[in-house]
Amino acid sequence: MDEIITVRHVKKNFGELGVLRDISFSLHKGEVLSIIGPSGSGKSTLLRCITQLERVDGGEIDICGKRMVWTTDGAVTYADKESLRHIRLQCGLVFQNFNLFPHMSVLGNITEAQRFVLRKSKEEARKTAMELLGKMGLTDKADAYPGQLSGGQQQRVSIARALALNPQVLCFDEPTSALDPELTGEILRVIKDLAKEKMTMVVVTHEMQFAREVSDNVIFMDDGVIVEQGNPEELFGDPKNQRTRKFLLRYEQ
Amino acid sequence: MGPLLLQMLKATGTSLQIFFLTLLFALPLGMLVVRGRMAKNVVVSGLVNIYIMIMRGTPLILQLIFVYFAPYYLFHASYDRFTAVIIAFVINYAAYFAEIYRGGIQSIPKGQYEASSVLGFTKAHTFFRIILPQVVKQIVPALGNEVITLVKDTALAQTIGVAELFRVAQNASARQFSTAPIFIAGLFYFVMNGLVSKSFDMIEHKLAYYN
């Protein structure tokens, strides 16, 4: 199987604090990986390291078979600028707070990178954008501005914006945490639909039921380490580790 | 009354020249200043910060006198009064504009940069297409305030002998033993600032297409 993301012995410190302490995992093409764990366990930081928003302090990351960062004798080396740029486009990221561009219409948000990064023509970019908006059920919102949309609609636009670059893998950083409970369903449904289409995805989430249904693999992180990983039936049904069990209990009521 | 009005209109021309030339140079210079102010290099940001502190911390009237007379005391060289006025106004207003720009730039959430980075935008693309348009909208009200002050500050040019509107009005008032010319000048400033605020209202309105 093709490995899309390979992470080996990744470390990340914020000052004295070890946020990621020796993280290793791999993600294969077409798989959905959920990362769960308490706040401050390093889940988001891990996604941010993979998408190059943070620099690692040790370890290796390969994306789509290309080496992004490696460590020799304790010295961290990143690939050259052009490779990093190429790798970055393979990895989409959907933010908790959407981070749409407020001064651009929905269409503008989705076409900007296609036109100026992928160098597609305006018409071509528009066509891709409209297809994606159709998929997200937002065709009628193409000319609206982000500020005129509900949180759920904004998050669907941001998913479309990430998909427009046709990435190999899509990362979600707590995609429903900023949404009202009644709006989380529409986002989870979109992610489930993408899973059906065999989109490779990493989802950091607090939605346990969703993680159980949609994932091929689940990682439970706590305090900067992977405490337990496995398929959802094992991890949710019969957690081996005491910490995992304690964490999951809190979601069961 | 006729010749006086004509004189005052001519002097208004001088005031407007000061006004427009100051904007022409100070608005872009402010961008350079804010780059220095926000530079990672502490020497650069420190020096620029001192410059801004001096410009904002001392009276513009003093700066005018300094800019005009310093070359004379240092090199025994004198130069055109009007040029001195423009230099003094530009370096003073650039400092204020830079601080307004800085406020605007800092008000843009980090997420806008992160989204740009993940989408593969270059730094230049991120600045000009994503950040700058949002900064502009953000700073228009503060900028309007500053530009209105500039209209009134042009009256200070007379300190080093440039015959702008207020100087001409004062002279006329002394000649005629009447305060009327001064109040007429006041009306002139009021009309000019009416136009300025109207223009800024229009710009704000134009930028209100999103929130």
Side-chain angles (χ1 to χ4, degrees):
Chain A
M1 269 205 283
D2 303 352
E3 288 198 1
I4 299 288
I5 299 180
T6 314
V7 172
R8 288 187 214 95
H9 308 298
V10 160
K11 295 179 187 68
K12 172 73 189 172
N13 307 315
F14 286 142
E16 291 290 288
L17 186 73
V19 188
L20 298 178
R21 302 183 293 154
D22 199 8
I23 298 286
S24 301
F25 74 90
S26 62
L27 175 70
H28 297 96
K29 198 169 176 55
E31 277 182 356
V32 178
L33 170 70
S34 292
I35 305 179
I36 59 170
S39 300
S41 58
K43 313 179 297 286
S44 292
T45 307
L46 180 56
L47 273 197
R48 292 170 63 84
C49 286
I50 292 168
T51 50
Q52 300 179 42
L53 290 175
E54 301 280 354
R55 292 179 80 85
V56 303
D57 295 314
E60 308 175 357
I61 300 176
D62 295 352
I63 308 281
C64 302
K66 292 225 171 53
R67 190 130 284 202
M68 179 174 112
V69 57
W70 60 94
T71 304
T72 32
D73 302 326
V76 176
T77 315
Y78 269 83
D80 60 278
K81 239 179 132 181
E82 201 40 50
S83 310
L84 287 180
R85 210 174 108 80
H86 182 78
I87 289 170
R88 192 175 293 144
L89 298 181
Q90 306 299 317
C91 268
L93 176 62
V94 172
F95 297 89
Q96 182 177 343
N97 302 314
F98 333 130
N99 291 336
L100 291 173
F101 305 129
H103 59 302
M104 291 181 177
S105 68
V106 164
L107 201 61
N109 267 277
I110 305 174
T111 52
E112 185 76 2
Q114 294 187 72
R115 289 179 58 198
F116 297 99
V117 178
L118 300 186
R119 306 259 162 220
K120 284 200 210 169
S121 72
K122 201 172 171 179
E123 294 70 43
E124 220 181 324
R126 200 192 142 86
K127 202 171 146 255
T128 308
M130 290 313 292
E131 275 168 24
L132 286 166
L133 282 176
K135 220 163 124 177
M136 298 293 150
L138 291 171
T139 314
D140 56 328
K141 299 291 183 195
D143 295 321
Y145 284 86
Q148 301 166 321
L149 304 180
S150 74
Q153 291 170 330
Q154 288 190 54
Q155 191 60 299
R156 280 184 278 157
V157 173
S158 94
I159 294 171
R161 180 175 71 173
L163 287 172
L165 292 178
N166 202 14
Q168 289 293 312
V169 52
L170 194 49
C171 302
F172 293 85
D173 187 7
E174 302 194 23
T176 60
S177 295
L179 299 178
D180 294 334
E182 69 264 29
L183 297 179
T184 60
E186 64 186 68
I187 299 305
L188 300 182
R189 211 168 312 123
V190 167
I191 300 175
K192 275 184 193 164
D193 287 347
L194 289 170
K196 270 186 218 139
E197 295 170 24
K198 289 291 162 203
M199 181 79 205
T200 315
M201 292 185 282
V202 185
V203 188
V204 168
T205 186
H206 290 288
E207 301 288 330
M208 296 306 146
Q209 190 54 40
F210 165 76
R212 190 170 186 162
E213 285 168 30
V214 80
S215 321
D216 299 295
N217 262 302
V218 183
I219 284 177
F220 171 64
M221 277 180 76
D222 192 11
D223 202 18
V225 296
I226 294 178
V227 175
E228 190 168 346
Q229 60 178 313
N231 70 48
E233 287 321 306
E234 284 168 19
L235 198 130
F236 287 106
D238 181 25
K240 303 280 177 292
N241 190 291
Q242 186 63 37
R243 273 147 89 189
T244 318
R245 225 171 292 159
K246 243 176 102 180
F247 173 76
L248 289 176
L249 260 176
R250 274 190 272 153
Y251 283 89
E252 269 177 19
Q253 295 94 18
Chain B
M1 199 68 187
L4 171 65
L5 270 181
L6 212 66
Q7 261 184 348
M8 286 179 69
L9 277 173
K10 212 176 138 233
T12 303
T14 307
S15 295
L16 286 173
Q17 273 182 36
I18 299 170
F19 173 78
F20 282 113
L21 286 171
T22 302
L23 286 185
L24 182 69
F25 294 114
L27 286 169
L29 183 63
M31 289 189 205
L32 213 66
V33 174
V34 79
R35 271 200 79 159
R37 176 77 172 83
M38 296 175 80
K40 288 204 183 90
N41 186 323
V42 286
V43 179
V44 174
S45 69
L47 285 174
V48 172
N49 200 17
I50 289 170
Y51 151 73
I52 291 175
M53 277 170 68
I54 293 172
M55 288 300 135
R56 299 205 306 170
T58 60
L60 176 55
I61 192 166
L62 187 155
Q63 293 164 20
L64 270 162
I65 293 167
F66 181 85
V67 167
Y68 184 59
F69 288 104
Y72 177 75
Y73 285 112
L74 290 173
F75 317 108
H76 284 275
S78 61
Y79 66 121
D80 179 44
R81 290 161 190 276
F82 185 79
T83 311
V85 166
I86 299 304
I87 292 174
F89 271 75
V90 166
I91 59 173
N92 177 277
Y93 271 83
Y96 281 96
F97 289 152
E99 285 297 279
I100 292 174
Y101 297 161
R102 189 168 65 95
I105 291 169
Q106 285 176 344
S107 75
I108 307 300
K110 224 177 73 201
Q112 294 290 304
Y113 293 94
E114 293 184 346
S116 303
S117 159
V118 170
L119 291 170
F121 297 157
T122 60
K123 278 211 169 110
H125 187 93
T126 302
F127 182 73
F128 287 108
R129 295 272 303 180
I130 307 299
I131 306 302
L132 192 60
Q134 298 185 56
V135 169
V136 168
K137 180 184 165 96
Q138 199 64 241
I139 65 176
V140 163
L143 222 46
N145 228 352
E146 208 53 44
V147 172
I148 283 173
T149 308
L150 173 59
V151 170
K152 295 177 286 179
D153 274 355
T154 56
L156 292 173
Q158 63 171 296
T159 320
I160 55 172
V162 169
E164 44 59 58
L165 173 59
F166 201 73
R167 167 66 153 254
V168 168
Q170 262 181 317
N171 284 350
S173 154
R175 267 197 320 269
Q176 302 179 350
F177 299 105
S178 154
T179 48
I182 289 178
F183 288 108
I184 296 171
L187 202 65
F188 277 40
Y189 285 110
F190 186 75
V191 170
M192 282 190 275
N193 269 332
L195 291 172
V196 169
S197 25
K198 191 85 200 142
S199 312
F200 272 89
D201 282 350
M202 274 162 60
I203 296 171
E204 272 189 56
H205 186 76
K206 241 190 126 83
L207 291 173
Y209 66 91
Y210 79 91
N211 51 41

